Amino acid sequence: MNWRNIQLVWAREVRDQLRDRRTLFMVAVLPLFMYPLLGASFFQLSQFLKQHKATVAVVGAEQLGQVDGVPPLIDGDAFAADLFLDPQQSRLLEVQRIASDSPDADLKSLQRRLRSGDIDAIVRFPDDFAESLGRIREQSKQPPGAEADDADEPDPQISTIPVLSNTAREASQVAHLRVDRVLGAWVERVVRRNLADSKVPESITRPIQVVSKDVADESQKRAGVWAKLLPFVVFVWALTGAFYPAVDLCAGEKERGTLETLLSSPAQRGEIVWGKMLTVICFSIVTSLLNLASLGATGKFLLGQLTTASGGDAGLGMPPITSLLWLIVALPPVAALFSALSIACASFAKSTKEGQYYFMPLFMGMMPLMLFPMSPGVELNLGNSLVPLMGVVLLLRSLIEGQYLEALRYVIPVTAVTLVCCLLAAKWAVHQFNQESVLFREGERFSVGQWLKKLVREPQPVATAGMAMACIGFVFLLKFFAEMAVAGLVAGAEPGMQLLAVTLLVSQACILTPAVVMALTLVQQHAAALFGRRRPTAASLALAVLTAVLAHPVGMQLAHLVQSIYPPSEELISQTAWISALIMQASPWLLVLLMGVLPAVCEELTFRGFVLGGLRSSVPTTWAVLVSAVAFGAAHTILQQSISAGILGILLGYLAVRWGSVWPGIFFHAVYNSLMLLFTSNAGAISDWAQKSGWRGVLQLDDRGQVSGYHGAVVALAAVGLCAMLVFYERTKPRAATMADPAQ
């Protein structure tokens, strides 16, 4: 790769982008003017944000005057001002008094007024409210130890004051909250008056008072708020600033007819991609920094105005200067990731208009990774640091909050994951540019009806990548709705083997059905689309079984590692406890059939047969194996299982490619699952056998003396043996014919 060519392409693309008005508007004009305009609009529209007065109908308020010593609740046409934290807020609740014997006190009539919005809330005092409260007041006035005048008289009942509101209207909800606070303050005063009349200290009812104190200073509070907002805002604009120039550099050049000229230059395709990528990175960084500067300047002005208007501190101050420095440090790798993804997506578009359609799927895919770190309780740990983009956001949060020692522990995994993602995205972009079918695909009108007719009437010789991706989508849709339906049908059912069998059968049917239906209707060579193009040999099946035996100790160690990084929650453990109990009690042969052989057949036919074969027709084998492995892992609903299954899916995909058949993978999968199940269900028996036979050193025992895995030396030997098997596969025979090539 010639750096001089990359530099020339970069300089050319930068000049072209600086001449493009749309790019300049998105990168420079919009950031500089958007936030000041929003700030000015905020002051102009603030008059519409004021709190509006609510009308509250109070029925039976005349009873309050019939009881002596009751603190005032209503003052004129409003609630008593001293019941509010801010006395000025009393004017926000207008009181309409309605006598209990008035025709307007009819409950149905009041409810109609409430639904129509004529009133916002209703407070209704019961007819016996004055009598009940009066009796309580009389009892409170008796000295301690004195007997009541009528000892046989029952204790007075506590009165209930219903407050009616209309939750379909926001104004009614707000009025309900205000009335609830006012009534709570009034009831508190009534209680205090009763205690005072009874000569009972208030401390009797409240012997303990809890006082909350915040030890964080203002700078820490400010850093905590900005730590959640700034990374999200900056990264969103980094993605926006990367995508629009990428669309113009790829789809725009196709429309202008200049892409052919660039491709005919001495620069290689990879050099062209890197030159374009550097251009997009520059514009992404500039867009983010301009937005950050404009946001900071506008925020400083707004905070100054709010401070002046309020006569004190406006609350949230300017972000610490260190937070801006950390954002600038983290911005280049994130911009590189967004730029590579944008180039890869934009290269597929045949026009600028089509390229802009790809922004929303990319944006929606990145949003959860940027929003999830803002959720309460999400902290930086080893598991989160390994998630792309989310680890960067959480690392920035820790750095902005000043938790440097905590952040230092995870700098290496976050940096490594980010760099790997950048390299993979860049490799994908280069791959897109190396495909003529991607760069120069013809634009044609698309008709869903004609496409479906052609798809059914003219089956393809083999499965295609589009069919494979559609199969993955149908699998997830069927699993989601079927499992929801099963959960609703068996809700409240007694956990048992029958319930487990139904759940497993439905789940595996959802995985297998899309692949079988699509292979039978859309592909000419049905069997090859599902089982592969080669017949398995006895040697391949025996080697697959041996490979599964060697992979078992490594897989158990991997499962323990995954659970240590992503510990299962207590809720998950309680929800799956009945399955673990059934595994310990059920027949081993039934377990092997339901949880060993059945998933092996269904999942291999779908993910290593139809999906992997279809993907290999359009993408390189490595990418096809990785995509099928990710889909295979995602089909397992529990996170810990998904990660382990995804890694196992890579090995299964290799076996399918190596032998040209899914049968070795089925044997491997069935043996591997069966060993896992038998090891778990017979942990106690295996522990006893190991202690009696002297093989205890081979196994690893937990605190209860139960087998939890293999000794480290055994795992290491199994890993060496597994690697030796893979080397043996590579050296013994050439790779099997491509499953998607009918000529082989």
Side-chain angles (χ1 to χ4, degrees):
M1 187 173 292
N2 192 332
W3 174 249
R4 176 62 179 171
N5 292 339
I6 296 176
Q7 187 177 5
L8 290 175
V9 174
W10 172 75
R12 170 188 179 273
E13 302 297 354
V14 169
R15 286 195 302 269
D16 289 345
Q17 289 302 301
L18 291 177
R19 297 169 184 167
D20 185 71
R21 290 176 295 178
R22 292 174 298 182
T23 302
L24 290 179
F25 176 80
M26 288 297 302
V27 173
V29 177
L30 185 61
L32 292 178
F33 287 93
M34 182 180 67
Y35 295 106
L37 289 176
L38 289 177
S41 301
F42 172 78
F43 282 106
Q44 294 294 330
L45 298 176
S46 59
Q47 56 181 322
F48 300 106
L49 302 178
K50 63 181 181 180
Q51 295 176 319
H52 297 280
K53 182 181 294 187
T55 303
V56 181
V58 180
V59 181
E62 70 278 0
Q63 300 183 65
L64 298 177
Q66 302 174 9
V67 184
D68 295 333
V70 175
L73 174 63
I74 301 176
D75 183 9
D77 60 349
F79 289 102
D82 56 355
L83 296 176
F84 295 84
L85 295 177
D86 182 5
Q88 297 295 328
Q89 292 186 351
S90 62
R91 59 184 178 83
L92 298 178
L93 290 177
E94 180 182 357
V95 175
Q96 287 187 2
R97 297 194 185 198
I98 301 176
S100 301
D101 55 355
S102 172
D104 296 334
D106 180 62
L107 182 59
K108 293 183 178 180
S109 175
L110 289 173
Q111 289 179 348
R112 284 195 296 268
R113 294 180 60 190
L114 183 60
R115 295 190 188 97
S116 65
D118 184 32
I119 55 178
D120 299 303
I122 302 172
V123 178
R124 189 178 184 88
F125 289 94
D127 295 336
D128 60 345
F129 178 79
E131 179 183 356
S132 177
L133 183 59
R135 293 172 59 188
I136 294 176
R137 291 282 302 147
E138 290 297 329
Q139 284 192 357
S140 66
K141 294 179 181 180
Q142 294 181 4
E147 295 184 359
D149 296 337
D150 189 357
D152 296 332
E153 185 177 355
D155 293 335
Q157 298 294 324
I158 299 177
S159 297
T160 301
I161 305 175
V163 180
L164 285 70
S165 64
N166 183 8
T167 57
R169 295 179 57 248
E170 186 176 357
S172 182
Q173 297 180 36
V174 174
H176 188 185
L177 292 175
R178 294 174 182 169
V179 171
D180 189 60
R181 286 195 293 265
V182 170
L183 291 178
W186 179 71
V187 170
E188 182 73 16
R189 293 194 175 188
V190 172
V191 172
R192 291 179 180 177
R193 181 68 60 86
N194 291 343
L195 292 174
D197 293 343
S198 301
K199 303 298 189 294
V200 176
E202 188 178 346
S203 59
I204 295 296
T205 60
R206 293 183 179 178
I208 299 174
Q209 185 177 9
V210 180
V211 179
S212 300
K213 290 186 178 181
D214 188 1
V215 299
D217 54 31
E218 292 300 324
S219 61
Q220 290 176 326
K221 295 179 183 178
R222 190 165 65 248
V225 175
W226 286 113
K228 293 184 178 181
L229 295 179
L230 284 180
F232 175 76
V233 173
V234 172
F235 289 170
V236 165
W237 278 107
L239 177 59
T240 305
F243 190 81
Y244 285 96
V247 170
D248 185 72
L249 291 177
C250 297
E253 288 216 64
K254 293 180 185 179
E255 291 181 328
R256 295 189 294 268
T258 57
L259 184 60
E260 292 84 349
T261 305
L262 182 61
L263 295 176
S264 62
S265 65
Q268 300 178 1
R269 296 285 179 95
E271 296 169 351
I272 295 174
V273 173
W274 279 103
K276 290 179 177 292
M277 199 179 305
L278 288 177
T279 304
V280 177
I281 291 173
C282 292
F283 279 91
S284 175
I285 293 175
V286 170
T287 303
S288 299
L289 294 180
L290 287 178
N291 274 275
L292 188 61
S294 180
L295 176 63
T298 306
K300 185 175 182 179
F301 172 76
L302 287 177
L303 290 174
Q305 294 293 323
L306 291 175
T307 302
T308 303
S310 61
D313 189 6
L316 180 63
M318 292 296 294
I321 189 64
T322 55
S323 63
L324 305 180
L325 297 178
W326 289 121
L327 283 171
I328 294 174
V329 171
L331 189 55
V334 175
L337 175 61
F338 289 157
S339 300
L341 292 174
S342 300
I343 288 286
C345 293
S347 62
F348 189 75
K350 58 181 179 289
S351 64
T352 303
K353 182 179 180 181
E354 180 184 344
Q356 293 174 353
Y357 292 151
Y358 299 152
F359 175 71
M360 187 54 65
L362 180 61
F363 184 76
M364 295 302 295
M366 296 294 106
M367 278 293 287
L369 299 177
M370 293 185 287
L371 281 176
F372 186 72
M374 300 174 63
S375 303
V378 180
E379 298 180 353
L380 181 63
N381 52 42
L382 182 58
N384 292 334
S385 67
L386 298 177
V387 180
L389 192 59
M390 189 171 77
V392 180
V393 177
L394 290 174
L395 182 64
L396 278 175
R397 272 186 54 183
S398 299
L399 291 173
I400 294 174
E401 292 172 354
Q403 302 176 9
Y404 300 115
L405 293 178
E406 183 72 17
L408 185 62
R409 298 169 53 191
Y410 303 105
V411 169
I412 294 178
V414 170
T415 305
V417 170
T418 304
L419 292 179
V420 169
C421 291
C422 290
L423 292 176
L424 291 176
K427 188 175 181 180
W428 180 33
V430 173
H431 172 72
Q432 291 284 80
F433 258 76
N434 285 327
Q435 288 188 302
E436 301 292 334
S437 59
V438 172
L439 291 181
F440 303 109
R441 65 187 186 94
E442 297 180 358
E444 55 184 11
R445 297 183 63 86
F446 180 76
S447 173
V448 177
Q450 294 295 331
W451 176 72
L452 290 175
K453 290 180 181 179
K454 182 179 179 181
L455 200 62
V456 176
R457 294 178 180 178
E458 302 177 10
Q460 298 293 321
V462 294
T464 63
M467 295 180 188
M469 298 305 296
C471 180
I472 294 174
F474 284 129
V475 166
F476 290 143
L477 283 176
L478 285 178
K479 276 181 62 67
F480 175 78
F481 289 108
E483 290 176 358
M484 292 291 290
V486 170
L489 292 175
V490 302
E494 185 69 22
M497 201 63 202
Q498 185 177 2
L499 176 60
L500 180 61
V502 171
T503 305
L504 290 174
L505 288 173
V506 170
S507 177
Q508 295 304 317
C510 294
I511 292 176
L512 182 61
T513 301
V516 173
V517 172
M518 296 180 74
L520 294 177
T521 57
L522 305 180
V523 181
Q524 295 177 359
Q525 303 177 16
H526 316 311
L530 292 173
F531 295 96
R533 296 197 163 277
R534 289 182 179 269
R535 292 183 178 180
T537 62
S540 66
L541 300 180
L543 289 173
V545 172
L546 179 59
T547 306
V549 173
L550 292 173
H552 176 242
V554 181
M556 291 199 68
Q557 189 66 28
L558 175 64
H560 290 311
L561 177 62
V562 171
Q563 290 191 6
S564 64
I565 297 176
Y566 300 98
S569 62
E570 295 293 335
E571 182 181 2
L572 177 62
I573 295 175
S574 62
Q575 290 177 352
T576 57
W578 67 277
I579 299 179
S580 302
L582 284 178
I583 291 176
M584 300 294 293
Q585 301 171 3
S587 169
W589 297 109
L590 184 59
L591 284 178
V592 169
L593 178 62
L594 285 178
M595 304 181 72
V597 177
L598 179 64
V601 174
C602 297
E603 292 169 358
E604 292 307 307
L605 290 178
T606 297
F607 293 106
R608 254 66 62 180
F610 192 84
V611 171
L612 180 58
L615 291 173
R616 292 184 66 201
S617 65
S618 301
V619 300
T621 300
T622 302
W623 286 101
V625 170
L626 290 176
V627 172
S628 63
V630 171
F632 172 63
H636 296 72
T637 53
I638 299 177
L639 174 63
Q640 292 78 9
Q641 291 182 355
S642 297
I643 297 174
S644 300
I647 298 174
L648 182 66
I650 298 176
L651 179 57
L652 289 168
Y654 172 79
L655 292 178
V657 173
R658 171 64 180 81
W659 298 109
S661 171
V662 299
W663 283 108
I666 291 176
F667 273 67
F668 175 96
H669 201 158
V671 172
Y672 184 87
N673 284 354
S674 301
L675 288 175
M676 286 289 188
L677 289 169
L678 295 176
F679 205 89
T680 303
S681 60
N682 297 280
I686 295 175
S687 302
D688 296 338
W689 171 82
Q691 293 178 359
K692 294 178 181 179
S693 60
W695 287 82
R696 182 176 179 179
V698 176
L699 303 175
Q700 184 177 359
L701 306 180
D702 56 16
D703 298 336
R704 300 173 300 172
Q706 299 290 327
V707 176
S708 60
Y710 292 92
H711 193 272
V714 177
V715 176
L717 289 175
V720 172
L722 186 60
C723 294
M725 289 294 298
L726 297 178
V727 173
F728 174 76
Y729 287 152
E730 288 292 324
R731 293 185 176 181
T732 51
K733 292 183 179 181
R735 289 181 179 272
T738 303
M739 289 185 288
D741 188 358
Q744 295 180 348

